[in-house]
Amino acid sequence: MLGLLAKAGYPVDNDEELADYVIVNTCSFIQAAREESVRTLVELAEANKKIIISGCMAQHFQDELLTELPEAVAIVGTGDYQKIVEIVERVETGERVKEVSTDPTFIADENLPRYRTTTEGVAYLRVAEGCDYRCAFCIIPQLRGDQRSRSIESIVAEARQLASQGVQELILISQITTNYGLDLYGEPKLAELLRALAEVDIPWIRVHYAYPTGLTPKVIEAIRESPNVLPYLDLPLQHSHPDILRGMNRPWQGRVNDGIIERIKQAIPNAVLRTTFIVGFPGETEEHFSHLLEFVKRHEFDHVGVFTFSAEEGTAAFGLPNPVPQAIMDERRERLMLTQQPISERKNQAYIGQTVDVLIEQENPETGELIGRSARFSPEVDGLVYVTGEAILGAIVQVRITAADTYDLYGEIV
């Protein structure tokens, strides 16, 4: 949207005080995300800003938002953001615009202009949009439609554009990246995509949202043999117990969890594994939760995120019997995080004395301390590396690690 608006001549600024229009790209995945979106919208409304609401919440609650927020001048659905210039032009004439396709089919490609808001060294690259799975807790397919993949040629073309802009790290995203290409080619083509991207002059390529069933020997081999594809795998496992996975409508996963994790570790000994879990799914007993605790202890993931279950209207899990009280969900989340913390700290401390590549992203103007990430850390969800020495922002430099804690590393440029 920003790319299209900038190309059309609209000045763009990240300071809403200066803006005539503020676009709020909302999330509607869980209640907490909606509450954060609503707080932002209300704050802007109180500041008398003209608000354009886009994203999943716009798709989900279009009529309610228009009713409750008279300051909203437009609602833009998840399959309609490419129309943003036309929408603003219509708003300028005094029209209140609702542009929401009931069945989103659009996906951006390399021909659409981009206006990156990440640090200069990092870019996200969407390889597919939508999801064909129907997990019981998830409303994303209703908001974003079924999976639609871009061609390998399209993705590589955009990657080359980003490389020419100095991007050092490319993060591949979709709802299920390991299913990339299934809709377009009749079979998943992630391995072929990774090998094609290995030819692009970008030092780090990171894969997010790699469902375990799609990590075939062919994909693992492509990761191992492509020097710029990081051995970093983000596996959204959600749970370990077969009963809970069956309730989540992910029964296939219970059969592969242990096997695939061991296979990854054997094939890629230096693999960095991140995962997320949901605690408190309806019917989760203490026995189910203990199974999850033992699973985390056994596999020693590098990074773990934990969410409490959020009952979302319109999903199969909404209104299921045997709900888990919020207090118990919170307590289980805390116990799981406390179980993971010493594992994360031990993994970090193993790097003390080693020299690692770090992508420098920030500088503290007062102290001169640099902040970056090693290849083990993905932006915003993992740790940071605090660095002494001199380097330009957006550069990958060698750093000797001198200290570590549960989440972060500390070091000096060599």
Side-chain angles (χ1 to χ4, degrees):
M1 287 187 286
L2 292 176
L4 285 164
L5 288 164
K7 184 180 180 182
Y10 290 92
V12 174
D13 203 289
N14 62 2
D15 183 358
E16 64 264 25
E17 292 291 321
L18 304 175
D20 295 311
Y21 296 95
V22 180
I23 301 174
V24 182
N25 197 29
T26 58
C27 179
S28 197
F29 183 48
I30 56 175
Q31 180 66 28
R34 283 200 297 277
E35 289 171 357
E36 183 181 348
S37 295
V38 168
R39 278 196 301 273
T40 302
L41 292 169
V42 169
E43 287 169 7
L44 291 167
E46 289 173 347
N48 295 315
K49 289 296 175 184
K50 297 174 184 175
I51 307 166
I52 296 173
I53 307 174
S54 68
C56 285
M57 205 169 164
Q59 188 78 24
H60 198 179
F61 298 107
Q62 50 199 274
D63 294 325
E64 293 93 327
L65 288 168
L66 284 171
T67 301
E68 296 294 328
L69 281 169
E71 296 82 3
V73 295
I75 297 281
V76 186
T78 58
D80 303 276
Y81 58 87
Q82 73 281 9
K83 306 170 189 171
I84 189 65
V85 173
E86 173 202 330
I87 288 166
V88 172
E89 289 171 349
R90 288 164 62 189
V91 167
E92 291 270 68
T93 68
E95 181 183 353
R96 198 179 192 205
V97 179
K98 182 172 84 168
E99 194 69 57
V100 181
S101 300
T102 55
D103 182 22
T105 57
F106 181 77
I107 181 168
D109 62 21
E110 75 281 11
N111 298 312
L112 213 62
R114 284 188 66 160
Y115 186 107
R116 286 193 293 119
T117 56
T118 48
T119 59
E120 50 255 68
V122 177
Y124 292 89
L125 182 52
R126 180 166 290 284
V127 302
E129 177 66 278
C131 183
D132 293 335
Y133 287 174
R134 296 296 182 265
C135 298
F137 54 82
C138 184
I139 199 166
I140 283 177
Q142 297 176 44
L143 303 180
R144 292 187 170 270
D146 290 333
Q147 179 173 293
R148 47 204 186 272
S149 302
R150 295 169 58 181
S151 70
I152 291 174
E153 293 77 13
S154 169
I155 295 165
V156 169
E158 186 170 356
R160 292 193 191 284
Q161 290 173 8
L162 294 166
S164 71
Q165 297 167 19
V167 166
Q168 302 291 297
E169 177 179 12
L170 201 59
I171 303 173
L172 308 185
I173 57 169
S174 72
Q175 274 68 44
I176 308 178
T177 308
T178 35
N179 275 11
Y180 163 75
L182 180 60
D183 55 305
L184 191 62
Y185 299 108
E187 60 180 342
K189 289 285 186 179
L190 179 59
E192 289 81 356
L193 174 63
L194 293 178
R195 291 188 185 278
L197 288 171
E199 303 298 318
V200 179
D201 187 20
I202 290 181
W204 291 358
I205 295 174
R206 189 184 303 274
V207 179
H208 269 209
Y209 315 124
Y211 275 57
T213 47
L215 287 170
T216 61
K218 195 162 74 164
V219 171
I220 291 173
E221 189 176 299
I223 293 170
R224 195 175 64 232
E225 294 179 358
S226 303
N228 57 347
V229 176
L230 299 177
Y232 176 104
L233 288 167
D234 172 33
L235 312 167
L237 297 177
Q238 312 304 3
H239 213 280
S240 64
H241 199 285
D243 291 350
I244 299 301
L245 290 168
R246 200 173 300 114
M248 290 178 168
N249 199 28
R250 297 163 68 97
W252 41 269
Q253 188 187 309
R255 299 192 299 273
V256 301
N257 272 356
D258 287 312
I260 188 63
I261 292 166
E262 291 308 319
R263 186 146 51 90
I264 291 167
K265 288 180 176 180
Q266 288 171 13
I268 313 174
N270 62 334
V272 176
L273 300 183
R274 146 169 278 284
T275 190
T276 50
F277 296 113
I278 296 171
V279 296
F281 189 83
E284 184 190 56
T285 64
E286 185 62 31
E287 180 186 348
H288 294 139
F289 178 68
S290 296
H291 188 280
L292 180 56
L293 282 177
E294 291 305 314
F295 183 79
V296 168
K297 290 177 187 175
R298 182 166 69 254
H299 289 300
E300 297 193 324
F301 297 97
D302 294 81
H303 312 291
V304 171
V306 185
F307 298 87
T308 57
F309 171 73
S310 179
E312 299 301 319
E313 191 170 356
T315 64
F318 185 76
L320 279 179
N322 304 312
V324 178
Q326 186 64 48
I328 293 178
M329 288 199 281
D330 292 341
E331 185 262 345
R332 287 178 181 171
R333 179 187 183 278
E334 181 73 11
R335 281 164 63 194
L336 189 53
M337 292 301 293
L338 288 173
T339 298
Q340 173 62 27
Q341 282 172 1
I343 298 170
S344 294
E345 186 163 1
R346 189 166 64 250
K347 296 246 180 190
N348 276 353
Q349 287 179 342
Y351 282 83
I352 295 175
Q354 293 190 32
T355 298
V356 301
D357 287 341
V358 173
L359 174 59
I360 302 298
E361 297 187 282
Q362 303 172 56
E363 180 180 7
N364 185 322
E366 295 177 3
T367 65
E369 183 182 48
L370 301 170
I371 303 173
R373 290 176 296 104
S374 74
R376 291 184 65 242
F377 298 151
S378 194
E380 299 185 27
V381 293
D382 298 330
L384 297 169
V385 185
Y386 294 88
V387 179
T388 57
E390 294 186 6
I392 60 171
L393 296 181
I396 294 177
V397 298
Q398 289 204 308
V399 173
R400 189 173 69 84
I401 303 303
T402 56
D405 58 29
T406 303
Y407 298 113
D408 301 318
L409 300 174
Y410 304 83
E412 53 195 20
I413 292 174
V414 297

